[in-house]
Amino acid sequence: MQKLLAIDKKNESNSNLYASYSFNQLEKNPTLSFRLAEKALEVDPDNISAIKAVLNSYYSAPFYSVIAQFDNELNCLKLSPRNDIIIMIPSRSDNIILWDMHGNKLFDFISKDGSTVDVTFSLDGQYFITSGFNSAQGLFDIHGNLITRLLHKREFIPGIFSNDSKSIFTADKNAIYKWNLNGDLINKIPIPESEPVSVANSSDGKYLVYGNYETIGIRNLTNGAEKTVFGHKKSIVYVKISPDNKYILSSGLTNQVYDGNDSTAIMWNFNGEKIRTFHISNEITATSISHKTNNIGIGDKEGNLKIFSSNGKLIYSVITNQNGISQIQFTEDEGSVYTISDNSRNILRWDLIDKIPAKKEAHNKKITSIEFSPDGKYIV
């Protein structure tokens, strides 16, 4: 009998130790925290500390799955809009490699773009365009077949497909071009003297928005009205438009040319008026807007992901442990979000449904304690 009591005491002690480690890792690494809590419960299933550790870690943050992990350094890693195709471009390479979400290589071909550094998918996932050390962007179908090249005056051309995936907008020096899928130039839209680094078009076809150094250009395609607004200091500006066409989201990114550090994302209306500013501790490297609720995902160079509601309320905050986030993408049902990192060479999927229901409905800040009722029917 004494021997059994000693074993129980040892199990309780070991369980408490794992539970303590779990609490210590809660903010640094939620997934490790949950694994330690599971171990605490495995050692002593009746230990209240172990049960609390499991519940605390389970409800404190979303969990992730590793969708893809690559060994070599990369120029670019992109996930398609439908979350079914991955494009991977090795460092200092013209090779473009397409994978499915199960790790199967689909195609491997040479783009001849002079070291491709970026790709942009069409919304239907059937085409993509490349950008690199080449003034002629490549337009490819999803099987890697070159359809045509789009000729420009400079390198590193930003581009985006129209909402119906039937045309392409590219931003060259002092002009935005509209192309069809055969590579024919449909329209040349003059813009104030600039060399845009990003471009976005509204899904209703009424507006083009482009980002420059420190400024944002807003072009009304219906009446030709043009507006330039200042929003970011000493940084190049990346822009997006919400799916419902209600607002513009801009973020500033500092590169080697500019001596600055802008860590803000700004929501604008199409009159160029600021609606809201999001302040982040570190330099912003990626943003995204969800499909249904217009939630805003912001990723930084330290691998932190923050998700805000469109009214500015912080909903989720996750430490991804990625070495910078280069792309954020919500699933259509907003139940998950993908974080993609060129530097970490991986894609993670974070579960946002059923993992933090209490935080969604009742708590503004992180849950730090959970208690059971004596009959075990309720949790406070």
Side-chain angles (χ1 to χ4, degrees):
M1 184 68 178
Q2 288 181 343
K3 187 176 181 180
L4 290 175
L5 288 174
I7 292 173
D8 288 343
K9 196 67 177 177
K10 183 178 180 181
N11 287 345
E12 183 181 3
S13 176
N14 288 338
S15 179
N16 285 335
L17 188 63
Y18 282 116
S20 176
Y21 288 154
S22 172
F23 282 114
N24 289 337
Q25 290 293 324
L26 196 55
E27 292 188 4
K28 297 177 183 177
N29 191 333
T31 300
L32 176 59
S33 174
F34 186 68
R35 299 303 175 219
L36 289 167
E38 282 184 318
K39 186 64 177 178
L41 198 62
E42 178 186 326
V43 172
D44 186 355
D46 297 321
N47 186 0
I48 295 298
S49 294
I51 295 171
K52 286 183 177 180
V54 168
L55 291 172
N56 268 315
S57 59
Y58 184 80
Y59 287 112
S60 67
F63 289 81
Y64 70 83
S65 302
V66 179
I67 302 303
Q69 179 69 62
F70 299 98
D71 296 328
N72 301 321
E73 291 186 4
L74 303 178
N75 273 357
C76 179
L77 184 62
K78 278 291 181 73
L79 181 61
S80 67
R82 295 187 175 183
N83 305 318
D84 57 352
I85 300 293
I86 299 167
I87 283 186
M88 183 267 277
I89 302 173
S91 179
R92 294 180 292 275
S93 171
D94 261 359
N95 280 69
I96 296 179
I97 306 172
L98 278 69
W99 306 76
D100 66 18
M101 298 294 278
H102 304 291
N104 301 309
K105 185 186 289 189
L106 303 176
F107 303 100
D108 185 348
F109 62 96
I110 297 176
S111 67
K112 297 182 180 179
D113 280 321
S115 190
T116 302
V117 296
D118 195 17
V119 295
T120 302
F121 283 95
S122 61
L123 292 179
D124 65 5
Q126 297 303 304
Y127 304 94
F128 62 90
I129 51 176
T130 60
S131 178
F133 292 88
N134 192 325
S135 59
Q137 282 181 298
L139 170 63
F140 296 85
D141 67 21
I142 201 63
H143 304 294
N145 300 308
L146 177 65
I147 297 173
T148 187
R149 290 200 174 273
L150 312 177
L151 300 178
H152 297 84
K153 298 177 181 178
R154 63 186 179 111
E155 302 171 341
F156 308 113
I157 297 295
I160 193 167
F161 286 84
S162 61
N163 194 60
D164 61 7
S165 300
K166 293 182 179 179
S167 55
I168 304 162
F169 293 96
T170 59
D172 203 353
K173 186 175 182 178
N174 304 331
I176 292 177
Y177 301 138
K178 183 178 182 180
W179 314 79
N180 64 22
L181 295 182
N182 294 320
D184 301 319
L185 182 61
I186 301 172
N187 192 12
K188 179 180 178 180
I189 305 167
I191 58 176
E193 188 170 344
S194 61
E195 294 187 14
V197 296
S198 63
V199 62
N201 69 298
S202 59
S203 60
D204 58 11
K206 293 182 179 179
Y207 291 94
L208 276 177
V209 179
Y210 53 94
N212 296 300
Y213 174 63
E214 295 188 332
T215 67
I216 299 157
I218 304 172
R219 176 79 176 216
N220 187 319
L221 295 177
T222 304
N223 59 23
E226 184 89 26
K227 184 180 290 290
T228 300
V229 294
F230 289 83
H232 298 272
K233 296 180 180 179
K234 294 184 178 180
S235 57
I236 54 178
V237 181
Y238 288 86
V239 293
K240 286 183 168 60
I241 297 176
S242 62
D244 61 4
N245 302 313
K246 289 184 177 179
Y247 64 83
I248 301 161
L249 182 67
S250 66
S251 60
L253 178 64
T254 305
N255 66 12
Q256 295 176 355
V257 178
Y258 307 120
D259 182 21
N261 184 10
D262 189 305
S263 55
T264 61
I266 302 174
M267 183 190 298
W268 311 78
N269 62 27
F270 285 92
N271 293 322
E273 300 165 334
K274 286 185 183 180
I275 301 173
R276 189 166 290 106
T277 300
F278 302 89
H279 295 277
I280 308 299
S281 300
N282 300 300
E283 188 176 358
I284 295 172
T285 52
T287 61
S288 183
I289 306 171
S290 66
H291 303 274
K292 294 181 178 180
T293 61
N294 283 340
N295 286 340
I296 296 167
I298 301 177
D300 67 29
K301 67 176 183 180
E302 299 298 327
N304 300 304
L305 169 67
K306 295 184 183 297
I307 301 177
F308 297 87
S309 65
S310 58
N311 63 12
K313 180 182 177 182
L314 179 64
I315 303 173
Y316 306 117
S317 182
V318 178
I319 302 171
T320 70
N321 291 315
Q322 291 170 296
N323 184 16
I325 299 173
S326 52
Q327 184 188 0
I328 301 168
Q329 193 152 288
F330 292 92
T331 55
E332 189 170 353
D333 64 1
E334 301 185 17
S336 300
V337 62
Y338 293 90
T339 57
I340 297 91
S341 174
D342 295 340
N343 294 331
S344 293
R345 307 183 294 276
N346 63 12
I347 298 175
L348 306 180
R349 183 180 64 216
W350 300 84
D351 184 8
L352 301 179
I353 286 183
D354 296 331
K355 295 301 180 187
I356 40 179
K359 186 174 181 181
K360 285 183 181 178
E361 298 175 4
H363 295 273
N364 293 325
K365 296 184 178 180
K366 188 177 73 173
I367 300 169
T368 58
S369 179
I370 297 174
E371 296 292 341
F372 289 94
S373 64
D375 61 7
K377 292 182 178 181
Y378 302 96
I379 297 173
V380 178

